[in-house]
Amino acid sequence: MSRLSDVAHQLVAPGKGILAADESTGTIKKRFDTIGLESTETSRRDYREMLFGATEAMQNYISGVILFDETIRQAGADGTPFVEMLKANNCLAGIKVDTGAKPLPFHNGETVTEGLDGLRERLAEYGKIGAAFAKWRGVIAIGENKPSRASIVANAQALARYAALCQEAGIVPIVEPEVLADGAPGDHTIETCERVTTETLAEVFEQLRIAGVELDGMILKPNMVIPGLNGPKVSVAEVAERTLRTLKATVPAIVPGIAFLSGGQTCEQASANLSAMHNLGDLPWGLTFSYGRALQAEALAAWGGKEENVEAARRAFVHRAKMNSLASLGRWAADLDRAA
Ligand code: 13P
């Protein structure tokens, strides 16, 4: 097996998934606003140290952590670099390398993700710091006359160029085309999400092939097929069926793993939906989580920015990570979740 393929398989090892802790400075400020905490370099460091120091979660349930540029260069309060803390717990370090979604000209608020200029050099540096994998997120919005063909193609092409550059640098790309559930107005149906996700993933794999990306040396990070957050509600069974149908129609079996984003789902929904997919028969790829909010929300609330709450916050994080580990094996259950 090639090294890229080996790392990709490690990321989706049975019972493990990815912690997305790569919130940009703007996004982490929004998260800290919910607990009334000022976002400073130190508070961001303390928060990430709370998570990465939850050894029971990191050793048993988390295969890799996606970091932001500032975070991959940071160290815990005792001076141990975060990358070393992760390594000590057998977790791979990942790095968000896109520079954000920017307006696509002539397209009514749609975006294309930027960050390709200078990416080869940045990847070389991140590789030296210890990154084994990377992430790039393209954003596809649903609305009146959206998404346009232009936004799907532009984002798929950028994802493909990013993925090829990563592989050239010996870094496993996480390819993340997110069809938004929590965008405005967010009232679309699950059928619309399925149609748009199918079209998006088909275009992404077309562009990956054109760019020469090795499909056995990458991870796909898609949205689940769900209605908009203000749209008509559906059952867990329907989400699981439609999501798997969409993925089977578009994702080649040679791709080692699929690791979902949570996209504004509640913690319990994100666990329930993932678990249900594993109960629908054998799957050709590893299928797990790469959650941000759905792994962190409970720990963030329990922490509240206070040193004395670190242990309680870690317990909350361990519980959530364990629930998602069980979900990635099809063994999550609501009563286990609520028993904590
Ligand atoms: P959420 O799980 O909060 O959607 O975040 C995952 C992520 O990495 C988005 O890029």
Side-chain angles (χ1 to χ4, degrees):
M1 211 187 297
S2 74
R3 207 186 89 75
L4 288 173
S5 177
D6 190 36
V7 168
H9 281 96
Q10 221 176 302
L11 286 169
V12 296
K16 292 200 174 188
I18 299 165
L19 167 63
D22 61 326
E23 296 84 2
S24 62
T25 312
T27 301
I28 198 73
K29 179 182 179 313
K30 277 192 232 157
R31 305 280 185 264
F32 284 4
D33 284 348
T34 67
I35 57 166
L37 177 68
E38 190 189 348
S39 177
T40 65
E41 189 178 345
T42 307
S43 64
R44 293 191 290 272
R45 192 274 314 271
D46 289 346
Y47 177 60
R48 267 67 181 244
E49 185 166 10
M50 180 275 290
L51 294 173
F52 307 159
T55 46
E56 187 184 339
M58 304 305 288
Q59 290 178 356
N60 298 306
Y61 311 127
I62 304 293
S63 55
V65 181
I66 318 173
L67 305 166
F68 184 60
D69 180 76
E70 174 186 83
T71 324
I72 202 170
R73 302 170 194 279
Q74 275 178 325
D78 73 353
T80 309
F82 281 157
V83 173
E84 295 306 318
M85 272 178 78
L86 297 181
K87 209 186 278 176
N89 288 320
N90 206 16
C91 283
L92 295 165
I95 179 73
K96 169 192 173 76
V97 298
D98 68 69
T99 56
K102 304 289 160 59
L104 186 65
F106 311 128
H107 284 87
N108 189 25
E110 291 186 288
T111 61
V112 62
T113 299
E114 295 188 349
L116 289 170
D117 289 355
L119 182 55
R120 177 177 279 121
E121 292 73 22
R122 289 196 291 130
L123 285 167
E125 190 203 354
Y126 288 135
K128 280 192 195 124
I129 297 175
F133 69 102
K135 180 192 109 170
W136 178 292
R137 171 175 175 259
V139 182
I140 305 297
I142 293 178
E144 214 184 324
N145 300 320
K146 293 181 199 170
S148 64
R149 190 76 198 130
S151 83
I152 291 176
V153 173
N155 279 293
Q157 287 178 337
L159 278 164
R161 273 184 64 197
Y162 140 81
L165 281 161
C166 284
Q167 291 188 339
E168 181 192 77
I171 289 177
V172 169
I174 293 188
V175 172
E176 181 181 8
E178 176 174 4
V179 176
L180 287 182
D182 61 350
D187 57 359
H188 58 269
T189 62
I190 192 168
E191 286 85 359
T192 301
C193 179
E194 182 171 353
R195 179 174 50 75
V196 173
T197 303
T198 301
E199 183 181 349
T200 300
L201 293 178
E203 187 64 33
V204 165
F205 280 97
E206 173 72 10
Q207 294 297 335
L208 289 170
R209 282 196 190 86
I210 292 171
V213 171
E214 289 172 31
L215 299 184
D216 68 344
M218 62 163 278
I219 299 289
L220 178 72
K221 176 164 174 166
N223 52 284
M224 293 183 191
V225 173
I226 55 174
L229 294 194
N230 306 315
K233 303 289 173 250
V234 299
S235 66
V236 169
E238 186 170 357
V239 170
E241 273 170 38
R242 286 184 185 269
T243 302
L244 281 189
R245 180 163 74 194
T246 301
L247 294 172
K248 284 183 178 169
T250 52
V251 186
I254 197 170
V255 171
I258 297 174
F260 292 106
L261 60 94
S262 58
Q265 299 182 69
T266 65
C267 295
E268 194 170 316
Q269 276 172 338
S271 299
N273 288 337
L274 175 60
S275 198
M277 290 179 214
H278 280 279
N279 292 315
L280 291 179
D282 283 344
L283 302 171
W285 351 257
L287 194 74
T288 189
F289 56 90
S290 174
Y291 298 157
R293 286 162 287 178
L295 268 173
Q296 297 180 46
E298 293 160 349
L300 175 68
W303 180 58
K306 298 199 175 77
E307 171 66 27
E308 65 264 30
N309 294 336
V310 165
E311 286 317 312
R314 283 185 176 150
R315 278 196 299 278
F317 178 55
V318 169
H319 174 68
R320 202 69 247 148
K322 182 174 180 185
M323 289 302 109
N324 285 310
S325 167
L326 288 171
S328 76
L329 299 165
R331 296 193 202 135
W332 175 87
D335 53 344
L336 288 175
D337 207 330
R338 291 170 199 165

